[in-house]
Amino acid sequence: MIKGKVLIAQGGGPTAVINQSLVGAVFAAKKAKGSAGVYGAFHGVRGIVNEDFIDLGKEPIANLEKVAKTPCSALGSTRDKPDLKYCQAIFAVLKAHGIGSFFYIGGNDSSDTLRILADEARKAKYALRCVHIPKTIDNDLMVNDHTPGYPSAARFVASAFAGANLDNRALPGVYVGVVMGRHAGFLTAAAALGRKYPDDGPHLIYLPERDFAMDRFLADVKAAWDRHGRCVIAVSEGIHDATGEPIAATLARQVEKDAHGNVQLSGTGALADLLTGAIRANTPIKRVRGDTFGYLQRSFLGCVSDVDAREARVVGVKAVQFAARHGRDGSVVIRRRKGKRYAAEFALVALADVAGKTRVMPAAFIARSGTDVTEAFDGYLRPLVGAKMPEPFRLSAPRVAKILKKK
Amino acid sequence: MIKGKVLIAQGGGPTAVINQSLVGAVFAAKKAKGSAGVYGAFHGVRGIVNEDFIDLGKEPIANLEKVAKTPCSALGSTRDKPDLKYCQAIFAVLKAHGIGSFFYIGGNDSSDTLRILADEARKAKYALRCVHIPKTIDNDLMVNDHTPGYPSAARFVASAFAGANLDNRALPGVYVGVVMGRHAGFLTAAAALGRKYPDDGPHLIYLPERDFAMDRFLADVKAAWDRHGRCVIAVSEGIHDATGEPIAATLARQVEKDAHGNVQLSGTGALADLLTGAIRANTPIKRVRGDTFGYLQRSFLGCVSDVDAREARVVGVKAVQFAARHGRDGSVVIRRRKGKRYAAEFALVALADVAGKTRVMPAAFIARSGTDVTEAFDGYLRPLVGAKMPEPFRLSAPRVAKILKKK
């Protein structure tokens, strides 16, 4: 049973399917026994403090279904991390509006915000049900097999590298594509799914789970170039040296940090330019290009995994159902059912199990070379990226015998 | 009637539909009377010199149809621009293989290569039929209403900006997206098609058809920010100051030029970083992000306009049919039939009308402000980007009355 009004908000970076979770939670909250209404807060916890609410119970169902298919937090988002004073301001507003349950759709920073809020609510003896609904393209939430938003972003990255590989094959050179992911390499690793033929790129994959050294990188590139006459490279924005210093951070003239203490890595092409510059300066390779996939990989309109969309809806629904049934705070997690055919299961775990923690790629997903993924990773990701992935094909007709250049 | 063997090659930057034209030309050449076979040259004119041919007549039809749907030159490409000696080497190979017609799929540089080749063939009294099949995401070929490859790239750019706008709405700040296009702003202008609601971005569009001045840019950004509390900006990589000097070129430490004398503008995030740095340094706006769309906009797997795919196929077919019927060299062009409903027509014009020339955005497509497009441009582009463009939706429910912050 739900008590009082339900409040839903979205925090952190948007994803392609984050509104599926919102809409799932709205539908479930409207159905839930005891629910006195469903509000949405604009721009996460900041919207609560500002009493910036929308009456989601009055949103037409047909429009909710359309919003569900629209990428990026329809309620707006925030990077704010509440301290005690901020929490007190939140309670005052929640009390005034009779809100008994708060569902926060977000990643590890947002779940940590929720954990702090739940702790403060307990101390203040305010009866507030706090449930975290997972989302993050980084796929770095503990306990979860994977997180909503990741499969669609992985589909984007795989499609981008499949295309970049074809482009690089048409006009050979070195291509560096920089992918989001501060600490976890899951999204960068998705580049591997763009491969079909044995000589397809990415030929090298650099993950934040392994230390990056420039001299080894240059030797790797040179070796791939000698072998294929071209080279496609996937690089995580979070790559760092052996001391843990991000390669991108050593560059940043003005290091920008958000409220959670994260250094800004995205929204700049500096890392790609550093790497392509190093290749140009230290190898005889002339055609060297670098792209930074940037915000496209989380917001591009029209690149959605159907599996991801479905699961994102379910975690929203389940969050409300779990809150009604179990009457405790927690975080909804996705688990993978054992068996040959892919199937997901959903559970509620303690907030502290997920909040503020970071999961990285298990060693079994990273090739011994440190610059590729394993078949186990391929088997892990392939069922998630969804149906109708376009597939590239090559010409197969025989070569014509040379006449003038016969040997 | 076609004489001897048909040779097909692809030049310049790949597009999403360039293989539709290849496959269209192969099918038409196999049907054409007099045709003694269909070869493909790998990597454009370079493949001719190297006798690097594939017997496309032996390519299974089912595989050709799959290759047609694969982005990026299946035959490989080149940026080589033949001089007299290069042309002589080409003739020697064409003669040896009994090739009577050469179909070159490419943009203005490739058509110029073909023009030079056709001139040299005439001088050498070698009977060679040279027909240019248009393609370029830049949409900058003279005489053409538009060029194959542009509609799909425009669809990518529109989808990317629609997503970036949603992302920017969720987490407000300034977003700069840099789009390909050296001299012509058609592809950058396509960003406007990502808008749906009146306050949607891009709020500012900078095209190479207008001079760029940093102080005016900063004032524009500040004004948009004051109005919307956020700002999405589309910038062409080719923007230049009043003297014609590209803004990106003023940055490049090592200016890289290709054989056609073009400065390298793509494959680096430097321009986006320069613009975001200037905004950060000269305005109080804190969250400023820049993306460079790079090679994704021409190669991304799975972003194709069905109109573009169809027309790209037709220009390949028509090129062979025109050559057989008219018995003269030329360039296939797309024209738009007059009337309310969109329809394309195809014609053969002289190579010199297209070769090496650059079409830019007509004044009627650019708003008086210089930082937006007109309704005429919208009407021009909309029928080209194809069916099933995803559409974003917003929540529409009423706001909740404030309780604590009542005025």
Side-chain angles (χ1 to χ4, degrees):
Chain A
M1 179 154 172
I2 293 280
K3 281 178 195 161
K5 291 199 188 84
V6 164
L7 177 67
I8 309 168
Q10 298 171 312
T15 78
V17 297
I18 192 168
N19 296 326
Q20 290 284 3
S21 299
L22 168 65
V23 169
V26 172
F27 285 155
K30 286 177 82 167
K31 273 195 198 165
K33 273 188 197 164
S35 161
V38 193
Y39 286 1
F42 284 105
H43 296 290
V45 284
R46 191 185 302 177
I48 304 179
V49 172
N50 295 336
E51 279 190 270
D52 209 357
F53 294 144
I54 180 173
D55 190 346
L56 289 172
K58 292 183 179 155
E59 186 70 45
I61 286 171
N63 194 51
L64 278 174
E65 285 294 358
K66 287 174 181 172
V67 169
K69 292 192 182 78
T70 302
C72 299
S73 335
L75 286 171
S77 192
T78 182
R79 298 260 183 215
D80 281 7
K81 183 168 181 159
D83 56 13
L84 179 59
K85 209 181 142 196
Y86 202 123
C87 283
Q88 288 167 342
I90 290 176
F91 297 144
V93 174
L94 296 182
K95 251 189 227 172
H97 287 268
I99 287 159
S101 312
F102 176 36
F103 296 89
Y104 205 13
I105 307 166
N108 33 27
D109 286 336
S110 301
S111 61
D112 202 35
T113 294
L114 203 61
R115 183 190 57 79
I116 296 167
L117 194 64
D119 280 352
E120 294 300 328
R122 217 171 357 258
K123 283 183 210 160
K125 293 190 178 154
Y126 180 86
L128 180 67
R129 186 62 55 243
C130 291
V131 179
H132 170 235
I133 300 173
K135 75 85 214 159
T136 168
I137 64 163
D138 294 337
N139 200 35
D140 62 351
L141 297 189
M142 294 300 283
V143 194
N144 288 272
D145 175 77
H146 61 278
T147 56
Y150 169 64
S152 297
R155 187 183 175 99
F156 182 92
V157 169
S159 304
F161 271 96
N165 171 66
L166 293 167
D167 199 303
N168 181 262
R169 207 169 159 257
L171 286 170
V174 172
Y175 178 84
V176 177
V178 174
V179 180
M180 278 185 172
R182 197 176 297 277
H183 302 295
F186 291 103
L187 193 53
T188 304
L193 248 74
R195 296 192 290 225
K196 178 183 172 186
Y197 298 95
D199 61 339
D200 273 346
H203 307 101
L204 295 167
I205 300 175
Y206 293 91
L207 307 166
E209 284 80 0
R210 295 288 177 267
D211 296 341
F212 181 90
M214 188 59 86
D215 51 351
R216 213 172 49 226
F217 169 73
L218 291 170
D220 291 345
V221 173
K222 188 67 179 30
W225 174 267
D226 289 343
R227 190 169 166 205
H228 300 290
R230 63 191 191 92
C231 183
V232 175
I233 310 166
V235 175
S236 164
E237 64 177 7
I239 52 163
H240 53 79
D241 63 21
T243 71
E245 170 93 331
I247 308 298
T250 60
L251 288 168
R253 262 165 283 162
Q254 293 166 296
V255 172
E256 187 185 328
K257 287 187 185 187
D258 70 10
H260 297 274
N262 302 319
V263 174
Q264 187 215 332
L265 298 179
S266 301
T268 161
L271 180 58
D273 286 353
L274 172 90
L275 297 175
T276 53
I279 296 167
R280 236 181 252 118
N282 295 287
T283 73
I285 306 165
K286 277 185 184 167
R287 192 170 185 277
V288 186
R289 302 289 185 263
D291 279 341
T292 306
F293 291 0
Y295 292 88
L296 272 52
Q297 55 204 315
R298 75 183 191 197
S299 67
F300 190 83
L301 198 66
C303 189
V304 178
S305 151
D306 55 343
V307 174
D308 194 19
R310 219 157 37 231
E311 292 180 350
R313 176 71 70 104
V314 174
V315 293
V317 172
K318 289 283 179 186
V320 176
Q321 291 177 346
F322 285 145
R325 198 180 306 156
H326 302 315
R328 57 177 165 86
D329 297 343
S331 179
V332 178
V333 297
I334 302 183
R335 287 177 181 143
R336 189 180 299 226
R337 203 171 292 168
K338 286 215 192 296
K340 274 197 178 172
R341 222 175 129 187
Y342 172 77
E345 291 176 336
F346 305 87
L348 189 72
V349 303
L351 275 172
D353 292 349
V354 172
K357 292 178 179 171
T358 300
R359 184 172 72 117
V360 297
M361 291 261 285
F365 284 176
I366 305 173
R368 197 174 284 257
S369 66
T371 56
D372 204 349
V373 297
T374 59
E375 274 186 43
F377 176 75
D378 192 275
Y380 163 81
L381 180 54
R382 210 162 277 279
L384 304 181
V385 292
K388 293 184 192 165
M389 271 288 278
E391 195 187 338
F393 289 87
R394 292 181 179 183
L395 293 169
S396 61
R399 295 286 177 127
V400 174
K402 296 192 187 208
I403 294 174
L404 301 181
K405 297 202 174 174
K406 272 190 293 202
K407 276 166 199 170
Chain B
M1 177 151 173
I2 292 278
K3 282 178 194 159
K5 292 198 188 84
V6 164
L7 177 67
I8 309 169
Q10 297 172 313
T15 79
V17 297
I18 191 168
N19 295 325
Q20 291 283 2
S21 299
L22 168 65
V23 169
V26 172
F27 284 155
K30 286 177 81 168
K31 272 194 198 166
K33 272 187 196 164
S35 160
V38 193
Y39 285 2
F42 284 104
H43 296 290
V45 284
R46 191 185 302 179
I48 304 179
V49 172
N50 295 335
E51 279 189 270
D52 210 357
F53 294 144
I54 180 174
D55 191 346
L56 290 170
K58 293 184 179 154
E59 186 72 46
I61 287 171
N63 194 52
L64 278 174
E65 284 295 358
K66 288 174 181 171
V67 169
K69 291 193 183 78
T70 302
C72 299
S73 334
L75 286 172
S77 193
T78 183
R79 297 260 183 216
D80 281 6
K81 183 169 183 159
D83 54 14
L84 179 60
K85 209 181 143 195
Y86 202 122
C87 283
Q88 286 167 342
I90 290 177
F91 296 144
V93 174
L94 296 183
K95 251 190 228 173
H97 287 268
I99 288 159
S101 312
F102 176 36
F103 297 89
Y104 205 13
I105 307 167
N108 32 27
D109 286 335
S110 301
S111 60
D112 203 33
T113 294
L114 204 59
R115 183 189 58 77
I116 295 168
L117 194 64
D119 281 351
E120 295 301 328
R122 219 171 357 258
K123 283 184 210 161
K125 295 193 175 152
Y126 180 86
L128 180 68
R129 185 62 55 245
C130 290
V131 179
H132 170 235
I133 301 173
K135 76 82 214 164
T136 167
I137 65 164
D138 293 338
N139 201 35
D140 63 352
L141 297 189
M142 294 299 283
V143 194
N144 288 273
D145 175 78
H146 61 279
T147 57
Y150 170 64
S152 296
R155 186 183 175 101
F156 182 93
V157 168
S159 304
F161 271 95
N165 172 66
L166 292 166
D167 199 303
N168 181 262
R169 206 169 160 256
L171 287 170
V174 172
Y175 177 83
V176 177
V178 173
V179 180
M180 278 186 173
R182 199 176 295 277
H183 302 294
F186 291 103
L187 192 54
T188 304
L193 249 74
R195 297 192 290 225
K196 179 184 171 184
Y197 298 95
D199 61 338
D200 273 347
H203 307 101
L204 296 167
I205 300 175
Y206 293 91
L207 306 166
E209 284 81 0
R210 295 286 177 269
D211 296 341
F212 181 90
M214 188 59 87
D215 52 350
R216 213 171 51 226
F217 169 73
L218 292 170
D220 290 346
V221 173
K222 188 68 178 31
W225 173 267
D226 289 342
R227 190 168 167 205
H228 300 290
R230 64 190 189 92
C231 184
V232 175
I233 310 167
V235 175
S236 164
E237 64 178 6
I239 52 163
H240 54 80
D241 64 20
T243 71
E245 170 93 330
I247 307 299
T250 60
L251 288 168
R253 263 166 282 164
Q254 293 166 295
V255 172
E256 188 185 328
K257 287 189 185 184
D258 69 10
H260 298 273
N262 301 319
V263 174
Q264 188 215 334
L265 298 179
S266 301
T268 162
L271 179 59
D273 287 353
L274 171 91
L275 297 174
T276 54
I279 296 167
R280 237 181 251 116
N282 294 286
T283 73
I285 307 165
K286 276 184 186 168
R287 192 169 184 278
V288 185
R289 302 289 186 262
D291 279 341
T292 306
F293 290 0
Y295 293 88
L296 274 53
Q297 55 204 315
R298 74 182 190 196
S299 66
F300 190 82
L301 198 65
C303 189
V304 178
S305 151
D306 55 342
V307 174
D308 195 18
R310 219 157 37 232
E311 292 181 349
R313 175 70 71 104
V314 175
V315 293
V317 171
K318 289 282 179 186
V320 176
Q321 291 178 346
F322 286 145
R325 198 181 307 155
H326 302 315
R328 58 179 164 84
D329 296 344
S331 179
V332 178
V333 297
I334 303 183
R335 287 176 181 145
R336 189 179 299 226
R337 204 172 291 170
K338 286 215 192 293
K340 274 196 176 172
R341 223 176 129 188
Y342 172 77
E345 291 175 335
F346 305 87
L348 188 73
V349 303
L351 275 171
D353 292 350
V354 172
K357 293 179 178 169
T358 300
R359 184 173 73 117
V360 297
M361 292 261 285
F365 285 176
I366 305 173
R368 197 173 283 257
S369 66
T371 57
D372 204 348
V373 296
T374 60
E375 275 186 42
F377 176 76
D378 192 276
Y380 163 81
L381 181 55
R382 212 162 278 275
L384 304 182
V385 292
K388 294 185 191 163
M389 270 288 278
E391 195 187 340
F393 288 87
R394 293 182 178 181
L395 294 167
S396 61
R399 295 284 177 129
V400 174
K402 296 192 185 209
I403 294 174
L404 299 181
K405 297 205 173 172
K406 270 190 294 206
K407 276 168 201 170

